[in-house]
Every structure is written in structure tokens, then in C-alpha cells.
């Protein structure tokens, strides 16, 4: 799918100055939002963005301040820790 958006030139110049590649930045944000909302898997993010491995996905999440360790992960780890006697 191809998506086009129009941005006033004055705003686009500021975005370009900050992000260099506006299209790539917007694509990363959309894909990472879909990942955060459990629409896409790590592998799908990797595929869409052309990343080498899942660790690059996690690096990108860090860059955009998207947590990859969820509350569910914390709760699961807590249960495991208790079960192991720690």
C-alpha cells in the first residue's frame, strides 16, 4: 500500500531539518505504533523496515521510547520468581 500526505512546506522544512528522511521516520512511527498495539509482531516489524534481526527492532523501540517489556512480562516474571522460591 502506498499512502500520501500533504504537509505545508514550512512545516516540512522543519521536519526535514530534524529527521532528514521524513518518509522513513513516519514509516518507523506507524510500524512501531502497530507493534505497540499488538497489530504487528517483532518479525513483521523487522520485515517491513528491512532490519537485520529482532535486536534491531528493540534498538529502534528504545530510540523511539517504546517499551518492549510490558506489565504482563513483569507479572509473569514475578510469578516465576515466587515459584522458584526467590
Amino acid at each position: 500500500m502506498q499512502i500520501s500526505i500533504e504537509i505545508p512546506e514550512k512545516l516540512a522544512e522543519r521536519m526535514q531539518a530534524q529527521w532528514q528522511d521524513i518518509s522513513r521516520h513516519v514509516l518507523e512511527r506507524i510500524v512501531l505504533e502497530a507493534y505497540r498495539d499488538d497489530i504487528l509482531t517483532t518479525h513483521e516489524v523487522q520485515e517491513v523496515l528491512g532490519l537485520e534481526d529482532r535486536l534491531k527492532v528493540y534498538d529502534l523501540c528504545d530510540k523511539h521510547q517504546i517499551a518492549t517489556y510490558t506489565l504482563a512480562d513483569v507479572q509473569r516474571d514475578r510469578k516465576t520468581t515466587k515459584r522458584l522460591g526467590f
Side-chain angles (χ1 to χ4, degrees), residues 38-54:
D38 290 325
I39 297 168
L40 298 179
T41 65
T42 304
H43 180 73
E44 290 167 329
V45 171
Q46 182 182 333
E47 183 180 331
V48 171
L49 296 179
L51 302 174
E52 298 169 18
D53 56 43
R54 65 183 168 80

Side-chain angles (χ1 to χ4, degrees), residues 2-3 6 9-10 12-13 20-21 25-28 33 35 39-40 43 45 51 55-56 60-61 64 67-68 71 78:
Q2 183 126 8
I3 299 172
E6 290 195 33
E9 191 63 34
K10 187 183 263 188
E13 289 171 6
Q20 286 77 43
D21 187 348
H25 186 82
V26 170
L27 177 61
E28 286 178 1
E33 279 297 313
Y35 177 66
I39 297 168
L40 298 179
H43 180 73
V45 171
L51 302 174
L55 297 177
K56 298 291 184 190
L60 194 58
C61 287
H64 290 285
T68 55
L71 179 57
R78 180 182 287 161

